[in-house]
């Protein structure tokens, strides 16, 4: 395994170096939203099918917009221009276009030879040299919410750092410890919040959880390899995606990204998932303590993206979730990035007595079009099982999850956007007859947050009146049907009815407002009306106690960093 990783890294070093790579947190939605707006205006091309973006890529896109504006090729309104300059300042460590360092508006201290500069302030320490760049920043935040079910207090903090070495390496690390006075996250809850509880507080209703991200990467002119632990988001969507939503806790994975020509891009990773399934044969007693050992669980995924014409992206790929039940580590065959993994699986010797291949395969398809200025239209398909015969059988269906949507930006009114999304996920999608191969990590579904047998309508109206102030009014109708279990003897995959009984439903109207004071420093406020109805057992299973019933929740807070 180690030899394979270092061999891959060595091959990347052989190519001409272009820029380092450090990935931006997908929770930093403001910068992702600004690039999306610029792409909808047709000022830049953007593959938003694969997230997170690298900080270098973000800076290049911002610089592209700035160069076009200065050349008078495009026009920006007052708010857009201020936002562009704000983000260019925020990504100053990525700007190495000048080899001479001087005192700038960031109040840098410059060394005598003018070969490096640094600054230290409450927002962090920043060093910028010709060979080495480093940022160390605090993470602090507090959020206070209140509704009829009580007060929700959430505080978090620790630190993040990232940097670059020469023209080759990027590295980053991020730790955020969280303390909440009520339990709001669990694998069965229909919420988009991330995190895994590792400790309940002295107040039995409270919890503590931690988030960690980090990695090291090596980048060439058209290739990137790395070993990272991060949240992945694959697929199109503004209210979560249905391929890989980033909802599951971050996990370690080897990445490979290739973009040799303008019209083609390839993404691949191999990840180490958490199965949460106890291997009793390897668990053991040590004195008075019982050492629990879990089954190993892995995932390999790839995505081929083509750009047949400008502003049109067509992506397809596949993945496999597997375990090595014969012991040892991951299987070498799944480190071949370009394979169709289902074919590898069905042609292997790994089959059970019922003829099932022992591993869990998926297919992906995504379309994204910005060919009409101001308008982004998109479609994502997650296929957990595919049979052509089911297309012609009215009583059968494929195990598909669909997402269809669009966003209209800055038309007919400037600084306003309108978004519509529809998501449908058929029964048994994301499930597998063997728990060690289902589409989860740490028991959290990696696909859509509503999981299978569900449907969602999402509408939103966004308004950005001035630089840094984002106001969003959204409506969600989320519905979930019977909790089918593929492991139950009476289950009928491909024929059990979709949403025959709606056992859980959420009507939600939410107003969000946030203001970014300086880079990564926010004040935020929200008013959230929810009416969660359905069967009492389903409401208890899928809803945190704080949000059950009809609630009007007011939340406000502040944060530095993510």
């Amino acid at each position: 395994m180690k030899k394979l990783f270092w061999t891959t890294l060595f091959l990347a070093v052989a190519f001409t170096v272009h820029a380092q790579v450090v990935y931006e947190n997908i929770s930093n939605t403001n910068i992702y939203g600004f690039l999306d707006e610029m792409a909808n205006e047709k000022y830049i091309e953007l593959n938003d099918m694969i997230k997170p973006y690298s900080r270098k890529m973000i800076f290049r896109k911002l610089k592209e917009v700035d160069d076009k504006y200065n050349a008078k090729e495009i026009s920006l309104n007052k708010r857009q221009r201020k936002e562009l300059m704000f983000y260019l300042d925020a990504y100053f460590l990525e700007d190495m276009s000048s080899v001479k360092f001087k005192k700038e508006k960031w109040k840098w201290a410059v060394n005598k030879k003018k070969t490096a500069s640094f600054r230290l302030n409450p927002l962090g320490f920043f060093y910028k040299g010709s060979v080495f760049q480093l940022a160390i920043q605090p993470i602090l935040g507090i959020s206070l919410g209140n509704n009829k079910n009580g007060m929700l207090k959430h505080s978090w903090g620790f630190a993040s750092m990232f940097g670059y070495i020469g023209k080759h390496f990027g590295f980053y690390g991020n730790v955020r410890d969280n303390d909440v006075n009520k339990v709001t996250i669990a694998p069965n809850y229909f919420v988009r919040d991330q995190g895994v509880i590792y400790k309940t507080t002295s107040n039995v209703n409270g919890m503590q959880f931690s988030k960690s991200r980090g990695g090291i990467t090596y980048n060439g002119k058209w290739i990137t390899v790395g070993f990272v632990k991060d949240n992945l988001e694959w697929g199109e969507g503004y209210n979560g995606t249905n391929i890989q939503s980033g909802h599951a806790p971050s996990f370690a994975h080897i990445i490979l990204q290739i973009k040799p020509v303008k019209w083609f891009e390839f993404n691949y990773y191999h990840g180490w998932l958490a199965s949460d399934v106890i291997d009793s044969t390897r668990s053991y007693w040590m004195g008075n303590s019982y050492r629990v050992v879990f089954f190993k669980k892995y995932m390999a995924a790839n995505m081929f993206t083509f750009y047949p014409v400008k502003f049109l992206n067509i992506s397809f790929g596949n993945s496999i979730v597997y375990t090595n039940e014969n012991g040892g580590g991951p299987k070498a065959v799944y480190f071949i990035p370009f394979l169709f993994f289902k074919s590898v699986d069905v042609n292997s010797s790994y089959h059970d007595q019922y003829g099932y291949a022992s591993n869990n395969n998926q297919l992906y398809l995504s379309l994204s079009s910005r060919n009409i200025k101001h308008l982004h239209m998109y479609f994502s398909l997650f296929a957990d099982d595919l049979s052509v015969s089911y297309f012609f059988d009215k009583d059968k269906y494929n195990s598909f999850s669909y997402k269809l949507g669009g966003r209209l930006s800055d038309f007919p009114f400037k600084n306003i956007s309108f978004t519509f999304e529809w998501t449908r996920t058929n029964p048994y999608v994301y499930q597998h007859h063997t728990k060690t191969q289902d589409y989860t990590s740490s028991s959290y579904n990696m696909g859509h947050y509503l999981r299978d047998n569900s449907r969602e309508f999402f509408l939103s109206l966004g308004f950005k009146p001035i630089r840094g102030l984002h106001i969003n009014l959204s409506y969600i109708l989320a519905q979930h049907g019977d909790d089918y279990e593929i492991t139950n003897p009476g289950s009928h995959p491909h024929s059990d009815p979709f949403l025959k009984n709606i056992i859980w439903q959420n009507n939600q109207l939410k107003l969000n407002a946030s203001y970014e004071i300086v880079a990564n420093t926010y004040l935020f406020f929200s008013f959230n009306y929810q009416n969660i109805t359905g069967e009492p057992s389903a409401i208890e299973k899928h809803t945190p106690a704080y949000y059950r019933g009809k609630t009007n929740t007011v939340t406000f807070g502040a944060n530095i960093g993510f």
Side-chain angles (χ1 to χ4, degrees):
M1 181 57 235
K2 290 182 179 178
K3 290 182 178 179
L4 180 63
F5 171 67
W6 288 113
T7 300
T8 306
L9 190 61
F10 173 79
L11 291 175
V13 174
F15 296 96
T16 303
V17 173
H18 182 59
Q20 316 96 321
V21 169
V22 165
Y23 290 103
E24 183 62 83
N25 196 324
I26 60 174
S27 298
N28 190 0
T29 55
N30 278 15
I31 182 60
Y32 282 89
F34 182 73
L35 292 184
D36 178 80
E37 181 185 358
M38 294 296 98
N40 293 353
E41 293 289 284
K42 301 182 74 169
Y43 296 160
I44 58 173
E45 289 191 77
L46 190 67
N47 179 17
D48 55 358
M49 168 68 189
I50 304 292
K51 295 185 181 80
Y53 302 155
S54 75
R55 290 180 60 91
K56 286 283 188 179
M57 175 270 201
I58 292 172
F59 176 77
R60 287 198 303 270
K61 295 297 181 181
L62 294 171
K63 193 67 169 62
E64 182 181 345
V65 174
D66 189 48
D67 290 343
K68 289 181 179 180
Y69 175 81
N70 292 329
K72 298 183 178 181
E73 297 176 15
I74 62 173
S75 62
L76 299 172
N77 63 37
K78 184 178 180 180
R79 189 270 308 170
Q80 290 172 330
R81 181 59 181 164
K82 286 186 175 181
E83 204 143 75
L84 174 63
M85 299 309 297
F86 176 84
Y87 287 127
L88 283 170
D89 287 348
Y91 289 84
F92 55 80
L93 283 187
E94 283 67 38
D95 182 8
M96 298 302 294
S97 58
S98 174
V99 295
K100 296 181 180 179
F101 295 90
K102 58 184 180 180
K103 289 186 178 180
E104 297 168 335
K105 57 185 174 182
W106 310 303
K107 298 181 180 179
W108 288 89
V110 183
N111 66 1
K112 293 182 180 180
K113 295 182 180 181
K114 294 185 178 182
T115 58
S117 54
F118 68 90
R119 70 170 175 173
L120 177 65
N121 60 36
L123 297 180
F125 169 80
F126 304 89
Y127 175 84
K128 186 175 182 180
S130 57
V131 176
F132 181 65
Q133 299 88 48
L134 176 68
I136 302 175
Q137 299 173 279
I139 297 176
L140 296 169
I142 186 167
S143 171
L144 299 174
N146 189 68
N147 64 25
K148 70 175 186 179
N149 295 321
M151 177 168 284
L152 181 67
K153 300 176 183 178
H154 180 190
S155 60
W156 60 92
F158 217 123
S160 70
M161 66 90 179
F162 69 90
Y164 307 103
I165 302 174
K167 298 179 180 180
H168 306 166
F169 285 99
F171 61 91
Y172 66 109
N174 180 300
V175 178
R176 169 178 158 173
D177 284 334
N178 297 259
D179 189 277
V180 192
N181 71 324
K182 297 181 185 294
V183 174
T184 57
I185 57 174
N188 287 327
Y189 288 165
F190 290 152
V191 296
R192 291 181 57 201
D193 299 338
Q194 301 168 345
V196 177
I197 301 173
Y198 69 83
K199 182 181 179 182
T200 55
T201 61
S202 56
N203 177 352
V204 295
N205 294 320
M207 64 177 183
Q208 292 179 346
F209 63 96
S210 184
K211 299 180 181 180
S212 62
R213 304 168 47 252
I216 183 169
T217 63
Y218 198 103
N219 182 253
K221 186 175 182 179
W222 48 267
I223 187 170
T224 299
V225 294
F227 192 40
V228 304
K229 180 181 186 293
D230 214 327
N231 298 98
L232 293 166
E233 191 172 290
W234 283 22
E236 299 288 347
Y238 294 98
N239 190 50
T241 61
N242 63 335
I243 296 178
Q244 293 187 34
S245 63
H247 171 59
S250 62
F251 55 87
H253 51 281
I254 292 173
I255 59 170
L256 172 66
Q257 297 173 314
I258 298 174
K259 197 174 192 316
V261 290
K262 289 184 177 181
W263 52 267
F264 173 70
E265 179 178 341
F266 176 77
N267 286 269
Y268 162 86
Y269 76 83
H270 184 282
W272 283 252
L273 308 180
S275 73
D276 280 358
V277 179
I278 296 174
D279 185 350
S280 59
T281 62
R282 294 193 298 133
S283 300
Y284 56 90
W285 285 96
M286 173 136 336
N288 294 325
S289 299
Y290 187 63
R291 177 72 168 91
V292 175
V293 179
F294 296 95
F295 278 101
K296 297 178 181 179
K297 185 176 183 179
Y298 311 97
M299 181 174 181
N302 59 32
M303 188 72 73
F304 301 79
T305 301
F306 294 88
Y307 309 86
V309 296
K310 290 188 69 174
F311 308 110
L312 175 64
N313 303 349
I314 302 174
S315 301
F316 59 87
N318 78 121
S319 62
I320 185 166
V321 180
Y322 72 97
T323 185
N324 194 338
E325 296 179 346
N326 295 323
K331 299 174 182 177
V333 68
Y334 297 127
F335 285 93
I336 302 174
F338 310 101
L339 290 179
F340 180 53
F341 300 121
K342 183 176 179 66
S343 177
V344 175
D345 192 36
V346 299
N347 284 288
S348 71
S349 59
Y350 306 109
H351 295 267
D352 64 20
Q353 59 181 323
Y354 302 106
Y356 287 108
S358 65
N359 302 310
N360 187 12
N361 308 101
Q362 302 84 34
L363 295 174
Y364 307 148
L365 174 66
S366 181
L367 306 175
S368 173
S369 171
R370 291 183 169 92
N371 298 95
I372 301 174
K373 189 173 182 179
H374 307 296
L375 181 61
H376 179 204
M377 297 182 293
Y378 52 90
F379 170 78
S380 283
L381 170 68
F382 178 96
D384 208 3
D385 195 6
L386 173 64
S387 174
V388 176
S389 64
Y390 294 157
F391 289 115
F392 306 99
D393 189 336
K394 64 182 180 62
D395 297 321
K396 296 289 183 79
Y397 53 77
N398 280 293
S399 297
F400 286 176
S401 175
Y402 314 84
K403 181 178 280 285
L404 177 68
R407 170 169 286 186
L408 185 66
S409 302
D410 297 299
F411 183 85
F413 304 107
K414 293 293 184 181
N415 302 323
I416 290 179
S417 64
F418 174 75
T419 307
F420 163 77
E421 279 186 7
W422 168 81
T423 307
R424 168 180 166 145
T425 306
N426 286 336
Y428 300 102
V429 176
Y430 308 122
Q431 295 191 42
H432 194 257
H433 65 281
T434 304
K435 296 300 292 182
T436 50
Q437 282 96 31
D438 61 7
Y439 200 70
T440 65
S441 184
S442 300
S443 299
Y444 287 77
N445 184 41
M446 293 188 293
H448 196 258
Y449 77 100
L450 289 176
R451 301 206 298 274
D452 68 300
N453 198 18
S454 63
R455 179 172 60 196
E456 182 187 69
F457 297 93
F458 171 75
L459 298 171
S460 77
L461 182 67
F463 181 38
K464 302 177 182 179
I466 59 174
R467 198 287 308 160
L469 179 59
H470 294 191
I471 302 171
N472 187 270
L473 179 66
S474 62
Y475 170 75
I476 295 175
L477 174 61
Q479 298 173 314
H480 177 74
D482 296 295
D483 283 324
Y484 297 127
E485 294 289 342
I486 199 169
T487 54
N488 288 343
S491 64
H492 299 91
H494 310 296
S495 61
D496 278 334
F498 172 72
L499 287 186
K500 179 181 180 181
N501 302 302
I502 297 177
I503 66 170
W504 184 94
Q505 178 171 291
N506 181 18
N507 270 287
Q508 180 181 23
L509 184 66
K510 189 172 186 178
L511 176 66
N512 275 331
S514 67
Y515 180 67
E516 190 171 7
I517 305 168
V518 295
N520 289 344
T521 303
Y522 292 84
L523 296 174
F524 56 85
F525 166 85
S526 72
F527 173 78
N528 183 17
Y529 165 81
Q530 285 190 136
N531 185 15
I532 295 179
T533 57
E535 297 180 2
S537 60
I539 293 174
E540 182 178 354
K541 177 180 179 181
H542 297 304
T543 313
Y546 178 67
Y547 293 110
R548 290 173 191 168
K550 185 182 294 186
T551 56
N552 294 291
T553 306
V554 176
T555 304
F556 62 92
N559 72 282
I560 300 173
F562 295 95

